[in-house]
Amino acid sequence: MNSVPVTLRSFTALLLRGGTLSAAAPPAARCHSSSHRTVFQFCRTMASTGNNKNNNNNNNSQLLGPNKKGKKQKEPLRIVKTKEHRRKRGDVHGPNTVYLQVVGAGSRDSAASLYLFSEYNRYLFNCGEGTQRLMQEHKLKAARLDNIFLTRLSWQNVGGLSGMILTLKDTGVPQCVLSGPPQLENYLNAIKSFSGPLEDIELLVRPYTEETYTDDTMTVYQVPIFAESRSDGRKPPSQSPASPKRDDGSRDNPDSPGEKRKAARDTSLVVSFICRLHPRKGNFLVAQAKELGLPVGTAAIGRLIADLKNGKSVMYEGKEIRPEQVCTPSDPGPVFIVVECPSDEFLEAVCSNQQLKRHQTGGTEDPAVLVVHMTPESVLKTDQYKEWMERFPSATEHLIINEHACTVHNFRSHKIQAQLNMIHPEIFPELKSYKTKEPQAALHVPNVRAECLLKFQLRPVMEWQRDAIPPCNTEEFVKEASEVPNFLEEVDKCRQISLTDAAEPSEKYPEVVFLGTGSALPMKTRNVSGTLVNISPSQSVLLDCGEGTFGQLCRQYGDDVDETLTKISTVFISHLHADHHTGLIKILYQRERALTTVGKPFSPVYLVAPVQIMTWLNQYHNYCEEILNHINLIPSYFLCDGAEIHKQRMKSFIQALLKKNDLTKFQTCTVRHCKNAFACSFTHQSGWKLAFSGDTMPCQEFVHIGNNATLLIHEATLEDGLEEEALEKRHSTTSQAIGIGMKMSAEFIMLNHFSQRYAKIPLFSEDFSNRVGISFDHMRIRFRDFKILPRLIPALKTLFAEDIGEMEERREKRELKLSRGSGFDVNSEQNTSEAVVVGRGAKREQEEAAMHNVETKRVKSS
């Protein structure tokens, strides 16, 4: 901040680092005197209007972390070793290869996120829901990710952060630093309510007041942008829909708890990032040096090369050699900018910001070579924003990331669904995409619309690269499946079944849509838990809601997703493991948006969940964004047999839930998994009954509440033969799940929640019968399909014969070692060191070893 004396800048940073004036600090730790508010407002203004210079060193920056304020940053061992290796070889300059790659293109199903690669570091800009799934599918390694930059504390940007942090911890990343709004520290404290202590990874927050961060790749300047207050004096809303207001008497009292919470979750801040790569010296041209007589290949050349690459002319044998004769031009270090302007309340602040202006035409700093605009079309089409874009040089590239993106993100999902669709088009419908109806802005500068995996290479050659964008060609997917031996013959048999079924009249409802059928963490073909039960044309119940559930809904329903969301009146969360509930907040926000879009009045959902979920939701509401008014909580234990309910309000909630969904009963019971884990069953007025296990070992109480269920949906995390591992992780094997269905006399049993080591299909047990089916993501079934589902299994086995063969081979190896009495540990069966099969099988074993280790770590931490 050139306009502010250095001592004042240090004083401001010291105050804000200390936490007493931070908008993110807990109410008990904050002082609300008018003088403190005045100082904070003054400091905030200075931070937003001042200018940054590269005179801060990251080694001196004090990072904030939960219970670690003032702790000095420690560099991970990997980075220390890399620096030491570079020093030994004399490489102290910027990286050779750097590119920025789109992960989420900003479409409605995949929030905006960017991955920055250099040979020294990896970075992520924003981390919405589904980011880690995309990185896993497209092999963007998270294991070296130690810096995440967040432009704003909204669920759109941080919805996938809790899952990403768990994955980083499980893969051994020692430290991760989050840069952006200071409230991120409260967010980290909030996710510990369900993630556990996170002791194996050091999480730190670098608030925007730190201004500058430097590492081996680049220097990053944080640029705070504060929204203008509205003419009515209210603060601008966040991008996520605001909760409907309740009159709690706090509106006119600035010291009321409600007003204090509003201050803590101030949404008037976004952070832009100006990133400058470190200079890279030119390359030494050996051939030209030889022609000029330099002693190439001798000890004397080292000193000469160093001087020439540093821009100095040298004398050799009486002849002057200039740098440009034997060296390529040096790269001074390009600048790129990441900007989010979420609404027109930020428009003036972005367009008039002095730090950003320096990199425009006529500015005092190097012009930006790339500007990334995470900006909605409603802002892009304003004259003010268009003029601001035009103030950058004509050579500047512009990347637009918003809902207008038209791209396929989950390539593997589309592939497997296209192939399953050949087996039964109704049960495995083709995937769809949501297309925004808002007209695209007519911009006056050349620009590129984001696509998943689109690259902008900054070094060695500055250019757009599209070779990594995966082609999504349904015809190719079908052709590949058609070449599988005997598959088309099985498909013909399934088509005959479909034709016979279509001739028989049957009820369309209830309809069960499997949105996520995997466990632990999202993977390329199976997302984490989520099942939609469409009870009638107007009412739906959502059973569990893992990260990415909304994205799955978008791909299932396409342009009809808003209509689908408005029908969800009830959500059941079985327990508080991240893979079962971290998609809830986005579902709630998007549901309100959908109600507004279709013109229906807002009403909260009935949330049946362990009461402990309120620790998480309260903290998110208090420090991030309003959410509590989206729910009417019914604690799960109130629906258990024998529960006593004294409050009339809770009784009315339960009665309203039953009436809304035309149910006669909704029951829960505790199950054998983690603490406060529940299963549920509900009975419709027409007589059908559905039972849902959540995560559990075989449980007699669940047998009781699910007795005579029309449909049982039961987790089958592990294959038969892994009973000891199932016991350790408190899950069920395939036969155990089927056994529970038999005990409760269920008419039909659908198995789900498979370990991600069974990426495409689980192993079948001898207990499979004509009453058992297996679930896939985006599968849609009705009760009339019970007699069809077992008859599809031969086609499924044929399509995935190679995968089944590899899994059976691993099982045989495990059983052989056990039979030899070698003391082989079942839990090490998937270890990478045992992956000795060549080719694809070896690669699969390595992937599943990593998956096994992650699953085990998450069980231990919970």
Side-chain angles (χ1 to χ4, degrees):
M1 297 185 299
N2 290 350
S3 59
V4 182
V6 174
T7 53
L8 177 58
R9 176 171 56 200
S10 303
F11 172 68
T12 302
L14 180 63
L15 286 175
L16 291 169
R17 288 186 201 122
T20 57
L21 298 178
S22 171
R30 298 175 64 219
C31 179
H32 294 280
S33 70
S34 59
S35 63
H36 280 208
R37 282 198 297 270
T38 302
V39 170
F40 179 74
Q41 292 290 342
F42 172 75
C43 294
R44 196 177 85 161
T45 303
M46 291 298 100
S48 65
T49 58
N51 305 318
N52 290 327
K53 280 289 182 184
N54 186 14
N55 54 8
N56 288 343
N57 190 294
N58 67 311
N59 294 328
N60 298 323
S61 67
Q62 301 292 314
L63 303 183
L64 303 181
N67 304 318
K68 298 177 183 178
K69 292 184 180 180
K71 185 169 181 176
K72 203 166 185 175
Q73 179 186 10
K74 293 181 180 178
E75 291 185 321
L77 182 61
R78 170 180 58 80
I79 293 178
V80 172
K81 288 183 175 179
T82 299
K83 285 184 175 180
E84 184 62 28
H85 177 67
R86 291 177 61 213
R87 279 194 211 99
K88 286 181 179 178
R89 70 184 190 193
D91 183 6
V92 293
H93 309 298
N96 289 313
T97 303
V98 186
Y99 59 80
L100 198 64
Q101 188 163 25
V102 176
V103 183
S107 56
R108 197 169 178 192
D109 68 313
S110 293
S113 57
L114 290 167
Y115 180 75
L116 182 66
F117 170 93
S118 86
E119 63 259 44
Y120 306 145
N121 305 91
R122 312 286 191 275
Y123 314 84
L124 193 64
F125 290 86
N126 288 344
C127 188
E129 282 191 36
T131 301
Q132 65 164 327
R133 184 185 185 191
L134 290 173
M135 291 181 67
Q136 186 274 337
E137 175 173 351
H138 300 302
K139 296 179 173 53
L140 305 178
K141 294 183 179 178
R144 299 190 65 180
L145 188 66
D146 45 35
N147 270 278
I148 301 177
F149 300 99
L150 297 151
T151 56
R152 185 165 55 105
L153 192 57
S154 73
W155 193 257
Q156 192 74 2
N157 293 347
V158 303
L161 190 55
S162 60
M164 180 65 75
I165 288 171
L166 288 170
T167 298
L168 294 177
K169 176 180 76 76
D170 294 338
T171 52
V173 174
Q175 182 190 83
C176 184
V177 182
L178 311 180
S179 298
Q183 293 95 331
L184 284 167
E185 189 177 353
N186 291 302
Y187 175 86
L188 293 178
N189 283 324
I191 66 172
K192 289 181 181 178
S193 64
F194 60 82
S195 69
L198 298 174
E199 293 172 347
D200 296 333
I201 182 171
E202 186 176 23
L203 298 170
L204 300 171
V205 173
R206 183 186 298 110
Y208 69 86
T209 50
E210 284 297 320
E211 297 180 352
T212 306
Y213 163 74
T214 299
D215 60 20
D216 287 346
T217 297
M218 63 181 181
T219 298
V220 181
Y221 304 88
Q222 298 193 68
V223 183
I225 307 287
F226 293 96
E228 291 187 329
S229 297
R230 294 176 169 179
S231 57
D232 58 8
R234 291 182 294 146
K235 288 181 179 178
S238 65
Q239 186 77 348
S240 301
S243 298
K245 303 299 180 187
R246 288 181 180 171
D247 189 0
D248 58 2
S250 66
R251 286 178 293 179
D252 301 321
N253 180 6
D255 294 321
S256 69
E259 287 301 309
K260 291 176 182 178
R261 284 196 297 270
K262 287 178 185 177
R265 64 170 178 256
D266 182 9
T267 57
S268 65
L269 167 69
V270 297
V271 180
S272 295
F273 297 97
I274 301 174
C275 307
R276 180 189 294 275
L277 300 189
H278 295 321
R280 182 75 197 176
K281 295 183 178 180
N283 295 321
F284 185 69
L285 303 174
V286 175
Q288 285 84 337
K290 285 182 177 179
E291 289 179 5
L292 293 172
L294 291 179
V296 176
T298 69
I301 193 66
R303 179 72 176 271
L304 296 174
I305 291 177
D307 287 340
L308 288 164
K309 292 183 74 171
N310 282 323
K312 300 176 182 177
S313 296
V314 299
M315 296 297 296
Y316 183 73
E317 294 182 347
K319 183 166 57 177
E320 182 184 20
I321 307 296
R322 297 188 306 278
E324 60 268 23
Q325 292 178 280
V326 290
C327 294
T328 60
S330 62
D331 180 352
V335 174
F336 69 91
I337 300 173
V338 179
V339 175
E340 181 180 13
C341 187
S343 65
D344 56 6
E345 282 84 10
F346 293 88
L347 190 55
E348 176 62 31
V350 168
C351 296
S352 62
N353 185 272
Q354 294 301 306
Q355 288 171 262
L356 299 178
K357 187 176 181 180
R358 287 179 182 163
H359 298 278
Q360 294 180 314
T361 302
T364 57
E365 301 283 354
D366 291 339
V369 299
L370 172 69
V371 181
V372 180
H373 305 266
M374 296 180 178
T375 301
E377 220 66 26
S378 59
V379 175
L380 284 176
K381 67 184 180 183
T382 62
D383 290 338
Q384 189 173 6
Y385 200 88
K386 289 180 183 179
E387 291 169 2
W388 180 72
M389 292 178 70
E390 291 170 24
R391 290 202 291 268
F392 287 96
S394 59
T396 298
E397 299 282 353
H398 296 270
L399 175 63
I400 311 297
I401 305 183
N402 64 21
E403 279 191 17
H404 262 271
C406 185
T407 182
V408 171
H409 290 86
N410 302 90
F411 169 83
R412 296 284 183 176
S413 287
H414 281 77
K415 179 178 179 178
I416 196 172
Q417 194 70 9
Q419 295 174 342
L420 291 172
N421 180 261
M422 298 170 67
I423 296 173
H424 199 295
E426 290 294 317
I427 293 175
F428 303 108
E430 291 182 348
L431 298 189
K432 303 176 181 177
S433 60
Y434 174 86
K435 297 180 180 63
T436 181
K437 298 173 178 62
E438 185 180 13
Q440 186 168 301
L443 301 176
H444 302 151
V445 297
N447 62 89
V448 175
R449 295 283 173 163
E451 296 178 70
C452 181
L453 300 190
L454 173 68
K455 287 182 183 178
F456 183 77
Q457 184 173 267
L458 294 154
R459 279 185 182 149
V461 179
M462 206 172 297
E463 63 181 5
W464 292 102
Q465 295 181 343
R466 297 179 176 273
D467 54 301
I469 299 174
C472 190
N473 189 326
T474 301
E475 292 180 0
E476 286 296 321
F477 301 154
V478 170
K479 181 182 177 184
E480 181 181 325
S482 300
E483 294 171 355
V484 174
N486 303 319
F487 179 61
L488 289 181
E489 290 85 343
E490 294 295 339
V491 167
D492 287 337
K493 295 176 185 177
C494 293
R495 284 175 180 166
Q496 292 302 317
I497 296 170
S498 301
L499 291 172
T500 304
D501 173 60
E504 298 180 11
S506 59
E507 293 293 328
K508 184 178 180 181
Y509 295 96
E511 176 186 74
V512 179
V513 180
F514 294 95
L515 300 171
T517 57
S519 67
L521 74 167
M523 298 292 272
K524 50 193 172 187
T525 54
R526 291 188 186 271
N527 198 52
V528 287
S529 297
T531 304
L532 183 69
V533 182
N534 294 317
I535 292 175
S536 70
S538 60
Q539 297 301 327
S540 301
V541 174
L542 185 59
L543 304 174
D544 275 339
C545 191
E547 179 190 336
T549 296
F550 173 71
Q552 295 288 89
L553 278 173
C554 284
R555 291 181 280 278
Q556 185 80 28
Y557 291 99
D559 291 338
D560 296 326
V561 68
D562 283 331
E563 192 65 39
T564 302
L565 285 167
T566 64
K567 298 174 184 177
I568 299 175
S569 62
T570 305
V571 179
F572 171 75
I573 301 296
S574 61
H575 62 292
L576 298 187
H577 284 167
D579 57 322
H580 290 260
H581 79 89
T582 51
L584 174 64
I585 288 179
K586 185 156 190 176
I587 286 287
L588 296 176
Y589 285 144
Q590 290 291 334
R591 177 178 174 271
E592 185 184 5
R593 167 177 164 171
L595 288 166
T596 301
T597 299
V598 303
K600 292 183 179 180
F602 176 85
S603 60
V605 300
Y606 296 101
L607 176 62
V608 181
V611 70
Q612 291 78 12
I613 198 172
M614 293 309 297
T615 303
W616 153 243
L617 293 178
N618 275 321
Q619 290 192 58
Y620 190 82
H621 178 87
N622 289 345
Y623 297 113
C624 304
E625 300 173 285
E626 295 181 32
I627 195 64
L628 295 184
N629 288 341
H630 287 261
I631 62 170
N632 287 326
L633 178 71
I634 301 175
S636 297
Y637 59 77
F638 280 151
L639 296 172
C640 292
D641 283 345
E644 296 183 2
I645 305 173
H646 301 292
K647 292 185 178 180
Q648 184 58 41
R649 186 166 182 261
M650 189 56 60
K651 291 179 181 178
S652 67
F653 280 174
I654 295 172
Q655 289 302 313
L657 179 155
L658 296 174
K659 182 178 179 181
K660 187 80 171 176
N661 295 292
D662 297 325
L663 302 178
T664 59
K665 186 179 288 186
F666 195 116
Q667 290 179 283
T668 62
C669 71
T670 55
V671 290
R672 302 169 65 195
H673 185 54
C674 62
K675 191 175 181 181
N676 302 309
F678 292 83
C680 75
S681 70
F682 48 89
T683 306
H684 194 259
Q685 291 175 359
S686 62
W688 59 264
K689 180 177 183 178
L690 188 147
F692 175 69
S693 70
D695 284 9
T696 182
M697 299 164 59
C699 177
Q700 189 60 38
E701 286 187 60
F702 182 47
V703 172
H704 172 68
I705 70 165
N707 190 43
N708 293 319
T710 312
L711 174 63
L712 164 64
I713 302 173
H714 201 291
E715 71 118 294
T717 307
L718 296 164
E719 66 188 87
D720 289 354
L722 296 180
E723 285 76 15
E724 289 186 25
E725 185 179 335
L727 179 65
E728 176 196 352
K729 297 179 177 179
R730 304 184 70 81
H731 283 299
S732 297
T733 65
T734 301
S735 290
Q736 287 173 344
I738 294 172
I740 290 296
M742 298 301 177
K743 284 184 179 180
M744 68 169 58
S745 300
E747 183 179 334
F748 199 80
I749 304 162
M750 284 297 292
L751 304 179
N752 81 338
H753 194 268
F754 303 111
S755 166
Q756 298 287 12
R757 69 188 75 173
Y758 315 116
K760 293 180 181 177
I761 194 168
L763 277 175
F764 295 85
S765 75
E766 295 179 356
D767 293 325
F768 267 73
S769 67
N770 60 1
R771 292 168 56 187
V772 181
I774 55 175
S775 61
F776 292 84
D777 282 22
H778 301 294
M779 186 180 190
R780 178 181 64 194
I781 65 168
R782 303 179 179 99
F783 289 174
R784 72 185 185 198
D785 298 324
F786 292 167
K787 61 185 177 182
I788 298 174
L789 292 170
R791 297 165 70 185
L792 303 182
I793 287 179
L796 294 171
K797 286 184 173 180
T798 302
L799 178 61
F800 301 117
E802 186 175 350
D803 301 88
I804 293 172
E806 291 171 5
M807 291 189 289
E808 288 178 340
E809 185 178 356
R810 284 194 296 276
R811 180 169 63 185
E812 290 171 3
K813 286 182 182 180
R814 181 180 69 243
E815 291 174 349
L816 180 62
K817 290 187 178 182
L818 287 172
S819 66
R820 288 174 177 171
S822 60
F824 177 69
D825 182 1
V826 171
N827 289 326
S828 66
E829 176 264 329
Q830 303 282 348
N831 195 281
T832 306
S833 64
E834 297 295 328
V836 295
V837 182
V838 296
R840 182 180 170 195
K843 181 178 179 182
R844 178 72 59 81
E845 286 198 8
Q846 290 175 349
E847 290 177 349
E848 294 184 3
M851 184 64 242
H852 172 81
N853 292 335
V854 167
E855 288 175 341
T856 302
K857 287 180 181 178
R858 294 205 176 180
V859 169
K860 289 179 179 177
S861 67
S862 66

